Amino acid sequence: MINEKRLVESISLYGSSAKSKKHATNLKRLAGGLQNIRTFDLDLTTAEQKAINDAISVLTAAAGVYRKAMTIQLKNEKVRKENIERTVALVQASRFGKLESIEDKYLLLATVMPNTLSNLSEISESYASAIYPLKYCFTEALELIARRIAEKPDQVQQELEAAWQKFQEMRPRLLERHGEKIRKAIALLEAGAAQSVNRV
């Protein structure tokens, strides 16, 4: 016999509340379809009627399991969302969020979002192409750091410090690897800024 409590706990550990809701709805619809069959005069045998009733019971029970799992998942998702929001604020207020030099910001992107720096190798000769990673990707990089740290809610400060130390350790290698692309991007930014001043 299936242990409903253990099944609910197992399902709630995986997937999402939205996925569990979808499963519950589909199972309920299947049960409803079989219930409709019972209303037709199909001259079913006793065995056939029992089989339909048993199937309806199983499907209804399974739908109930997914609904209970969904309730647990909704609570867990709310806690996780609030935890991530707190951690994002913490990261934004940390040394990561307070990075000022363009070089450091590009290097952080190289650590967290490597493809961003890889794309700089194909950067066009424009201010817009150089500012894009800083304007649209840097905040996302901070959020990615926060999400990783939030996986250990009891060790947020320790994980944040460890992430910063790792960044500092990787910095020389990253600069050696991406220095030329970063210098090119910085030159484009400076040229763009100078043009803006001249227009004024």
Side-chain angles (χ1 to χ4, degrees):
M1 183 176 180
I2 296 175
N3 186 316
E4 181 181 300
K5 182 179 179 181
R6 290 183 61 184
L7 188 56
V8 169
E9 291 174 349
S10 178
I11 293 173
S12 65
L13 292 174
Y14 304 98
S16 64
S17 60
K19 189 173 182 180
S20 291
K21 181 180 180 180
K22 183 178 180 180
H23 284 314
T25 300
N26 290 340
L27 290 166
K28 193 67 176 177
R29 285 175 180 169
L30 287 172
L34 290 176
Q35 287 172 344
N36 289 334
I37 290 177
R38 292 192 309 190
T39 65
F40 301 138
D41 185 12
L42 298 177
D43 195 24
L44 299 174
T45 66
T46 301
E48 289 171 335
Q49 291 176 351
K50 183 179 184 303
I52 289 176
N53 290 337
D54 289 345
I56 290 173
S57 296
V58 171
L59 290 170
T60 301
V65 166
Y66 275 103
R67 282 197 300 272
K68 290 177 181 178
M70 179 188 70
T71 300
I72 295 173
Q73 288 168 325
L74 282 170
K75 292 179 180 178
N76 291 341
E77 286 165 2
K78 181 181 179 181
V79 171
R80 192 178 302 116
K81 181 175 180 292
E82 292 172 348
N83 185 39
I84 289 174
E85 288 174 350
R86 286 194 299 270
T87 310
V88 167
L90 184 65
V91 172
Q92 289 175 339
S94 73
R95 287 171 288 187
F96 284 115
K98 294 178 180 178
L99 287 174
E100 294 184 358
S101 77
I102 294 173
E103 180 179 88
D104 281 335
K105 288 183 177 182
Y106 274 126
L107 290 175
L108 181 64
L109 287 172
T111 305
V112 184
M113 302 171 67
N115 289 339
T116 306
L117 265 290
S118 296
N119 293 338
L120 282 180
S121 61
E122 303 172 359
I123 201 167
S124 60
E125 296 295 330
S126 71
Y127 175 85
S129 62
I131 195 65
Y132 182 87
L134 302 177
K135 189 173 182 180
Y136 297 102
C137 301
F138 186 71
T139 298
E140 183 180 352
L142 295 180
E143 291 177 358
L144 287 173
I145 293 173
R147 286 181 177 277
R148 293 172 186 172
I149 292 173
E151 293 177 1
K152 297 181 180 179
D154 297 333
Q155 303 175 40
V156 170
Q157 290 291 351
Q158 297 94 314
E159 290 294 312
L160 181 57
E161 180 61 27
W164 176 259
Q165 293 302 324
K166 183 177 180 181
F167 173 56
Q168 294 302 305
E169 291 171 3
M170 294 177 64
R171 193 180 184 285
R173 295 195 301 274
L174 291 169
L175 188 57
E176 181 179 353
R177 181 178 179 183
H178 301 289
E180 183 178 348
K181 288 179 286 186
I182 291 174
R183 285 189 290 274
K184 178 181 178 182
I186 291 175
L188 289 171
L189 292 173
E190 291 175 346
Q195 289 176 7
S196 297
V197 171
N198 292 334
R199 292 194 192 99
V200 176

